[in-house]
Amino acid sequence: NAMAAVRDVEIDPEGTFKYILVRLQRPGGGEQRDIVRGTGAAEFHNHIFEKVNPEMEKLGYECKCLGGGKIEHNSKDKKIRVFGLSTGYGKADHSVTVEILKKEYTDYEIIWSDDKK
């Protein structure tokens, strides 16, 4: 199905950047799932949402941003840290984000905190 074709995680391979947690849902309820999207190309969190939302609408999903924060991705040491918040969307539940990241980055140490920096 189309939902399975959507990747759980799309983040930059290196660096510290903004991320958002997005809930995909079929109109009228039914199946839903949460995905993580983050990139250093986005100056603001809504830039990420404005890119992902039309992509998902084409596949027939409604998108809701559940919040945001930052991801620090160190591919050399295989570590990811999730922290911070989005001014516009509020703080994502970083513990949920970590669980999603663990599915993709199985051999990484992944932690989160409510630290701003």
Side-chain angles (χ1 to χ4, degrees):
N1 65 19
M3 195 173 259
V6 176
R7 291 173 57 191
D8 288 324
V9 178
E10 283 183 19
I11 60 170
D12 287 359
E14 190 67 42
T16 302
F17 44 83
K18 292 182 167 66
Y19 94 89
I20 57 172
L21 186 61
V22 178
R23 175 155 293 162
L24 304 184
Q25 192 154 6
R26 285 287 185 209
E31 57 173 341
Q32 64 172 43
R33 65 184 265 221
D34 299 340
I35 61 171
V36 174
R37 294 291 183 269
T39 176
E43 192 183 349
F44 300 105
H45 286 91
N46 62 305
H47 293 170
I48 309 172
F49 189 74
E50 283 161 14
K51 183 176 177 294
V52 75
N53 193 36
E55 291 173 5
M56 297 304 146
E57 282 183 341
K58 273 187 211 142
L59 297 172
Y61 298 106
E62 290 170 350
C63 289
K64 182 182 173 202
C65 184
L66 301 178
K70 284 187 167 177
I71 286 175
E72 181 181 55
H73 189 174
N74 181 334
S75 55
K76 185 171 70 74
D77 295 339
K78 297 199 169 179
K79 286 183 179 175
I80 292 177
R81 182 169 74 103
V82 185
F83 65 101
L85 52 84
S86 160
T87 313
Y89 295 122
K91 186 174 82 70
D93 185 338
H94 296 328
S95 63
V96 171
T97 302
V98 166
E99 289 310 309
I100 297 169
L101 289 168
K102 279 179 178 170
K103 290 196 273 187
E104 183 87 9
Y105 296 95
T106 50
D107 57 344
Y108 268 60
E109 179 193 335
I110 305 176
I111 58 163
W112 70 271
S113 76
D114 287 326
D115 297 345
K116 297 285 195 303
K117 294 188 163 124

